[in-house]
Amino acid sequence: MNYYYLDATNTPQGPFSLEQLKALLAQNVITPQTLVAASGAATWIPIIQILASTPTPAARFSANGSYCPDCKRPVDFGCSRCAACGRLFLPQKRSPFGYFAQCISLYATFSGRATRAEYWSFYLVSCLISLIGLCLLPVLQGAAIVLLILIGIALIVPSFAVTWRRLHDAGYSGACYFLGCIPFVGGIILLVLLLMDSKPGSNQYGPATKYP
């Protein structure tokens, strides 16, 4: 199928294939909001709408500063769709230590979402660190106790933050964290919420990384 786009003077340019339009977008000749129309179409729409509705294989990316393989523009880790061309992404699978490092980098970030893998990986690595500290206790004695206390204090904020984001990812308010304060049943209710799967698509807390 051939497409035409309107230039700055509203003059139709073309015909172009969809791949050629993507190349022009990557070269900044046109923008995501440039109006395009297919041959014989009666209306002009922004190119980003056409690209967003065009099935494309999901790409994987691993860190901030990666680039969309379609339009070559920067995308951030955790995004489910390129803001420029609309391409869908799948987040790269990480090891528990990778998720732990991500949580530490988001130290006091309460906005956004955290998958079950990210949440439980954080606690798994935290437990491993504590276990190593306990194993060193007979050797280091007092120093090991001080180290464990310092690590525990340092992990309070990211622990609170990743729990808050995990609730967001499941579709609940982060304030549900305080349900755990209810005697007897509060902890069970909170655990059930934390075990819930990610809600697909975007919600009021941001885009899903597990189910874009």
Side-chain angles (χ1 to χ4, degrees), residues 70-89:
D70 276 358
C71 68
K72 311 303 180 185
R73 303 206 178 179
V75 292
D76 293 328
F77 180 82
C79 293
S80 59
R81 187 185 294 274
C82 175
C85 70
R87 181 177 178 132
L88 290 174
F89 295 98

Side-chain angles (χ1 to χ4, degrees), residues 76-173:
D76 293 328
F77 180 82
C79 293
S80 59
R81 187 185 294 274
C82 175
C85 70
R87 181 177 178 132
L88 290 174
F89 295 98
L90 293 176
Q92 184 182 33
K93 292 183 179 180
R94 291 187 168 190
S95 68
F97 293 97
Y99 280 119
F100 179 82
Q102 177 175 312
C103 291
I104 295 300
S105 69
L106 297 173
Y107 195 82
T109 302
F110 292 84
S111 59
R113 302 169 60 164
T115 63
R116 285 186 299 190
E118 181 180 346
Y119 176 79
W120 293 111
S121 292
F122 174 82
Y123 279 97
L124 173 62
V125 175
S126 297
C127 289
L128 289 176
I129 292 174
S130 299
L131 182 60
I132 292 172
L134 290 174
C135 291
L136 293 175
L137 189 57
V139 178
L140 300 179
Q141 298 180 351
I145 295 176
V146 173
L147 181 62
L148 284 173
I149 293 175
L150 292 176
I151 291 175
I153 293 174
L155 293 179
I156 290 176
V157 174
S159 171
F160 188 24
V162 72
T163 304
W164 202 270
R165 298 196 307 274
R166 174 78 273 271
L167 290 167
H168 285 175
D169 189 54
Y172 302 101
S173 168

